[in-house]
Amino acid sequence: MTYHPPHISRLEVEIADAPEGAVCIAPKTVRDIEAILRYCSERELVVQVRGGGTHSGYGSPTQPDFVLSMERMNRIETWEPDDLTIVVDAGARVADVEAALEERHQSLVMPERPGEATLGGVIAAGVSSLRRGRYYATRERVLEATMVTGDGRVVRSGGRVVKNVTGYDLHRLAVGAFGSLGVIVSVCLRLWPHPSGAATVRVDDLERASTIVWPLAVLEADGVVNVFLQGTEAEVDSQVARLGGSAAPGLVWPEDPSRDWGWSLRVPPALTSDAVRELPEGWSYLAIHGVGEVRAASSDVEGARELRAWAESIGGHLVVTRGDGTFDPWGSPPPRLDLQRRLIAEFDPKRVLNPGRLPGGL
Amino acid sequence: MSLIDDLRAVLGEDDVLDEPIELHLFSKDASLMRGQPACVAFPENTAEVSEIVKLAEAYGVPVVARGAGTGLAAGASPTAGGIVVVTTGLDSVDIDVDNRVAWVGAGVINLDLSKATRPYGLQFAPDPSSQSACTIGGNVANNSGGPHCLSEGSTTSHVLGMEVVLAGGETAVLGGMAPDPPGLDLKGAIVGSEGTLGVVTRVLVRLIPVEPDVRTLLMDFPSMEDAARTVSDVIAAGLVPASLELMDQRMVEVVENWLQAGLPTDAAAVLLAEVVGETEGVESQAEIISEIAWRNNTMDVQVAQSEEHRALLWRARKSAFGAIAQLATDYYLHDAVVPRHRLVETMKAVYDIADRHGLTMANVFHAGDGNLHPLIAFDASDPEVNKRVHQAGDEILTVALKVGGALSGEHGIGIEKRDMMRANFTEIDLDAQARLKECFDPAGIFNPTKVLPEGSRCFDFGGVKRELPDGVWV
């Protein structure tokens, strides 16, 4: 048992599923985070950053001294509906922000079934909406980010405008970086307005979906294909008529497949159907056609080994999104690990933030 | 052996230029700032670029990549000397229709790419006004936008991977066709970095479907406020047109005098809106936009009646900068970007600044995304006028920052806006950016002196130190 100074210990909270031995703290301000990270850097203590805990099984596991929960930093700072931008604390839950945006028929275009996930968690894990084939990935929605680096510096990059080439895009590096450069504390995101018409159409055959030039999404879940449509009412009506099949009004998003083990299979977009065929017997899945992303669930670790070999042979990846840490979560390391390591060292020299969670032990 | 001999040994005699007239031709881009290159190299493949970078490091001279030289911020002006690497020989295009991507050489012209992909019903979304001249490499360097980026985002959203020559002349392939490659998104940091992190030689671009139908609407308004409110209301209605472009009266007069496109010269503001999609979709969207415009005092709504008519309207928009030659020999174009809801007040302040300095200004801009392009027509041979133009430019940027905007929407920082970076970011922000630059380019040879002001890092990261040649406007 270690006694931490009062400015740290006063932030302590209880988190039921926190890793054993870790002290859970929930900062209230950016200043708190600066102080915590300086303290941890000085003593080389390991910090696991936590949003809603949704992605805590994603990436290599860490043994933290502290769990830094962003639960208290959840304010919507400014929402400019006319600009299609919003500035939000990273600890805000995706579901809460979406509910607020619904008032003006706008959306973050982030995961549709976020559960407890926070904006910061979604961005740090680099997970995206099922609508990404039409409105692009989470990466493309982050216009500005403020981070506190591992050694306690507050760094902002980007801007609160939808188009910007002012300086280097550090905020893009933060997407999918699992907090390795800094704790994301607030972000400006690009929003999308949704027009009034929407429908979900079940089709018998994937081929039928190609009659729509650029649908919102074409999803295949355990053999069932649904085409998601959005537009003016006239537009959606005509598309529904053209598709045939059975149409439900509105967008009925499926849940991600769920078991003890979760997988993300990523392949060139044209090989999405091949990827579904390559899944071992008994795996449940949700495939995003036109994107090349297949979310799958199965405890069949042996089958995963073969699937990874296939994915990597075609330039893809098989990544563990939920597991017990006994299977290499990333597979073959990405190029230029040396450069990635140097970059992380500039932002987190003592390597206190989620060390080892990224591929290559970064 | 000299640098030039060594380069010729790699590239061939004719692919390295060093005659004074040749050096002068490549001493600047479309900005007003000139440098003095040691030589100009024309590589034809990535391996040659790699050799150039190795030689540059060995001789300790900068490498300045250049596409078509249409940049307006001196990003491709060799203001610290060195080797200008012209990428136009990197001109391969490999289209993968099934995956909706293409591997494209950095020197391929933006419009040529879209022409090549169009037979397959695909297009590259970024469409800057200079698209008939500018290259994909330049688009990547400046994260270019264009009218279409209102709905589809800037270049960065359309770059899935790249082949890039990094420090030490090492070639890396970053990203790829499969989504979400694990690890840090190094390519995301390189897009928009203005050639300061490496030389991008090939780009894996996303291609999007060409929508089957289109409606182009031209609306004229008695005031800029009415036009701006129309833009806001369209977005509030849940529509994101492919583009929403505004021109002020002065710009319309100039364009109309030259092109006779049928633009209304009596309106204070002219709004060009384009919606794309399936026929039912564009019909209903055009109807909604027209209703909104009438509610906001439009004097007339014209819908392009044919593909020729539509092309003429777009030509009027995209040739605005050329038409300005009627007013004066030179123009200085700004690129500030502001939150859309601050557009009208910013415009007023911009007009005031031009008036106060006695300058002729016209405006054409991407209203949908708040990217202003105030254009000052002037005679650059008069140093006193030059000074006033520069002063007005700084004031415009200051106004943009004050309303929560940024220095550049799509042209880049280069040298032109470099020293304003301190007004946009804190010292700690700039230090973090300088650390990124240093990680990629420890020797400081990639387009030094650009983007970050001197002293952004605790020490000067500029690397190769050179006196600036006379007459360089920094």
Side-chain angles (χ1 to χ4, degrees):
Chain A
M1 178 75 200
T2 313
Y3 291 98
H4 298 292
H7 72 279
I8 307 278
S9 58
R10 76 181 165 85
L11 300 171
E12 257 183 63
V13 289
E14 290 285 331
I15 294 175
D17 59 346
E20 214 170 307
V23 177
C24 300
I25 42 176
K28 294 174 182 165
T29 64
V30 175
R31 287 238 144 154
D32 288 342
I33 299 178
E34 289 176 65
I36 293 162
L37 294 178
R38 282 206 198 101
Y39 176 77
C40 292
S41 275
E42 278 160 20
R43 285 161 186 77
E44 305 198 15
L45 299 171
V46 168
V47 179
Q48 187 185 90
V49 192
R50 181 188 164 106
T54 322
H55 306 109
S56 52
Y58 193 165
S60 311
T62 52
Q63 291 294 321
D65 299 293
F66 284 104
V67 171
L68 191 156
S69 165
M70 293 296 289
E71 63 193 63
R72 284 169 168 160
M73 296 179 66
N74 54 13
R75 186 182 47 120
I76 293 179
E77 187 191 315
T78 43
W79 171 26
E80 298 291 352
D82 285 357
D83 290 10
L84 294 176
T85 59
I86 190 166
V87 181
V88 202
D89 288 351
R93 291 165 75 242
V94 172
D96 293 342
V97 179
E98 288 285 20
L101 293 173
E102 193 48 46
E103 183 202 330
R104 293 283 298 267
H105 308 293
Q106 297 189 355
S107 170
L108 296 165
V109 195
M110 284 200 168
E112 287 74 11
R113 300 235 179 219
E116 294 298 311
T118 60
L119 290 175
V122 166
I123 292 166
V127 294
S128 291
S129 159
L130 297 168
R131 293 164 279 176
R132 63 184 297 181
R134 181 63 191 82
Y135 294 136
Y136 310 110
T138 292
R139 200 175 290 291
E140 318 305 340
R141 317 218 65 82
V142 183
L143 301 172
E144 178 190 71
T146 304
M147 296 185 272
V148 183
T149 62
D151 53 358
R153 287 170 282 140
V154 181
V155 172
R156 181 185 68 87
S157 82
R160 297 174 181 192
V161 285
V162 293
K163 185 175 177 188
N164 193 359
V165 57
T166 308
Y168 296 99
D169 286 355
L170 300 173
H171 52 289
R172 290 185 72 83
L173 276 176
V175 182
F178 285 92
S180 57
L181 301 171
V183 178
I184 301 168
V185 292
S186 83
V187 285
C188 178
L189 301 170
R190 182 178 189 171
L191 304 174
W192 199 260
H194 43 85
S196 48
T200 306
V201 186
R202 181 172 168 170
V203 293
D204 301 333
D205 177 5
L206 191 59
E207 275 301 301
R208 287 213 66 77
S210 61
T211 60
I212 309 296
V213 177
W214 206 2
L216 188 61
V218 179
L219 305 180
E220 179 182 349
D222 299 332
V224 177
V225 179
N226 277 296
V227 182
F228 293 75
L229 303 168
Q230 193 166 50
T232 60
E233 272 150 32
E235 185 177 15
V236 171
D237 287 348
S238 80
Q239 289 176 334
V240 167
R242 197 176 339 142
L243 274 173
S246 67
L251 303 169
V252 190
W253 297 112
E255 293 277 0
D256 281 357
S258 174
R259 303 246 176 101
D260 294 345
W261 286 80
W263 308 88
S264 170
L265 176 59
R266 302 157 189 180
V267 299
L271 298 180
T272 312
S273 288
D274 293 59
V276 167
R277 271 194 297 275
E278 290 288 333
L279 291 174
E281 196 66 30
W283 285 45
S284 57
Y285 67 91
L286 173 61
I288 313 177
H289 284 282
V291 170
E293 182 185 341
V294 182
R295 302 173 186 181
S298 168
S299 323
D300 171 16
V301 173
E302 274 316 303
R305 242 177 272 282
E306 271 180 47
L307 186 61
R308 173 172 282 166
W310 174 77
E312 294 189 353
S313 75
I314 55 153
H317 318 276
L318 178 70
V319 168
V320 180
T321 54
R322 196 171 52 258
D324 65 6
T326 56
F327 187 85
D328 169 18
W330 296 108
S332 300
R336 297 313 303 259
L337 276 180
D338 58 324
L339 183 51
Q340 301 192 32
R341 190 172 288 117
R342 283 207 302 278
L343 275 167
I344 291 174
E346 289 294 339
F347 288 83
D348 182 13
K350 298 292 181 191
R351 212 55 204 96
V352 299
L353 289 166
N354 293 340
R357 195 155 173 196
L358 285 175
L362 294 180
Chain B
M1 290 289 274
S2 71
L3 169 67
I4 288 163
D5 291 339
D6 281 343
L7 282 170
R8 285 194 168 132
V10 173
L11 301 177
E13 195 71 23
D14 297 339
D15 287 336
V16 182
L17 306 181
D18 67 341
E19 291 294 326
I21 179 72
E22 295 162 341
L23 297 181
H24 188 74
L25 276 173
F26 288 91
S27 66
K28 71 187 267 299
D29 53 18
S31 72
L32 302 169
M33 292 153 220
R34 203 177 282 281
Q36 180 64 43
C39 60
V40 185
F42 291 81
E44 270 156 26
N45 54 50
T46 302
E48 289 185 352
V49 174
S50 165
E51 291 304 319
I52 294 169
V53 169
K54 284 178 193 162
L55 286 172
E57 283 193 8
Y59 282 91
V61 299
V63 170
V64 182
R66 174 191 169 107
T70 57
L72 292 161
S77 289
T79 47
I83 310 165
V84 171
V85 178
V86 181
T87 58
T88 47
L90 306 168
D91 57 359
S92 60
V93 176
D94 297 301
I95 301 166
D96 178 340
V97 176
D98 291 342
N99 283 301
R100 290 184 176 172
V101 295
W103 270 107
V104 186
V108 171
I109 291 170
N110 176 295
L111 193 59
D112 288 350
L113 172 59
S114 277
K115 278 185 186 157
T117 59
R118 203 157 264 270
Y120 305 103
L122 297 170
Q123 61 183 326
F124 180 58
D127 58 344
S129 294
S130 55
Q131 73 183 133
S132 58
C134 66
T135 62
I136 298 300
N139 296 166
V140 169
N142 294 301
N143 191 17
S144 304
H148 213 153
C149 90
L150 170 58
S151 62
E152 305 309 325
S154 307
T155 298
T156 189
S157 299
H158 300 274
V159 173
L160 302 175
M162 59 173 61
E163 183 180 71
V164 56
V165 177
L166 297 167
E170 284 180 39
T171 302
V173 177
L174 306 173
M177 267 187 265
D180 307 328
L184 295 184
D185 182 19
L186 299 178
K187 75 171 161 46
I190 292 173
V191 179
S193 67
E194 306 187 35
T196 62
L197 304 182
V199 180
V200 174
T201 54
R202 288 199 310 150
V203 188
L204 179 66
V205 298
R206 182 201 304 279
L207 300 173
I208 63 169
V210 176
E211 302 273 10
D213 211 346
V214 58
R215 292 289 180 278
T216 308
L217 293 87
L218 187 78
M219 294 154 278
D220 46 339
F221 294 91
S223 74
M224 191 57 85
E225 284 89 339
D226 288 327
R229 202 170 328 107
T230 301
V231 169
S232 290
D233 290 354
V234 165
I235 284 162
L239 302 185
V240 181
S243 37
L244 279 169
E245 302 284 304
L246 258 171
M247 284 197 231
D248 70 2
Q249 189 165 16
R250 166 51 67 89
M251 189 55 96
V252 171
E253 282 169 1
V254 173
V255 170
E256 198 50 30
N257 190 38
W258 174 65
L259 197 63
Q260 291 94 44
L263 302 181
T265 51
D266 56 342
V270 172
L271 179 63
L272 187 65
E274 187 159 283
V275 291
V276 296
E278 300 188 3
T279 303
E280 300 81 4
V282 295
E283 283 291 345
S284 48
Q285 290 187 44
E287 216 166 283
I288 294 167
I289 293 172
S290 155
E291 272 166 32
I292 291 170
W294 283 112
R295 219 167 44 229
N296 285 306
N297 312 319
T298 187
M299 302 183 291
D300 192 22
V301 179
Q302 273 186 60
V303 180
Q305 294 304 320
S306 62
E307 187 48 38
E308 291 72 44
H309 189 193
R310 172 179 173 253
L312 182 65
L313 293 178
W314 272 110
R315 196 164 161 231
R317 162 61 186 85
K318 291 202 176 182
S319 57
F321 303 145
I324 210 81
Q326 298 167 80
L327 294 183
T329 50
D330 299 275
Y331 70 76
Y332 190 49
L333 179 64
H334 260 286
D335 176 40
V337 52
V338 298
R340 190 161 36 219
H341 74 285
R342 309 293 293 267
L343 207 56
V344 170
E345 59 179 298
T346 310
M347 290 301 303
K348 279 197 183 122
V350 166
Y351 286 123
D352 285 348
I353 290 166
D355 286 349
R356 213 169 42 247
H357 290 282
L359 296 168
T360 306
M361 190 182 68
N363 277 281
V364 50
F365 54 96
H366 311 301
D369 50 33
N371 192 185
L372 305 176
H373 287 317
L375 189 154
I376 298 167
F378 71 110
D379 176 3
S381 65
D382 182 338
E384 191 276 329
V385 176
N386 252 328
K387 208 174 135 200
R388 276 191 284 141
V389 169
H390 196 69
Q391 179 64 30
D394 281 357
E395 287 175 27
I396 290 169
L397 291 177
T398 305
V399 166
L401 291 180
K402 211 158 83 188
V403 300
L407 297 175
S408 175
E410 57 185 349
H411 296 172
I413 300 299
I415 287 203
E416 187 207 35
K417 280 159 268 187
R418 183 189 63 188
D419 294 334
M420 293 288 289
M421 286 285 276
R422 290 190 201 286
N424 200 141
F425 291 110
T426 67
E427 272 181 19
I428 294 172
D429 298 338
L430 290 177
D431 173 75
Q433 296 192 25
R435 289 171 190 242
L436 170 87
K437 158 78 174 167
E438 223 175 76
C439 282
F440 274 91
D441 182 22
I445 65 150
F446 291 117
N447 209 6
T449 72
K450 308 291 170 69
V451 185
L452 294 175
E454 211 172 315
S456 292
R457 192 74 171 91
C458 321
F459 53 89
D460 178 24
F461 56 88
V464 186
K465 285 242 186 137
R466 283 283 167 100
E467 286 304 310
L468 290 173
D470 290 342
V472 172
W473 190 14
V474 289

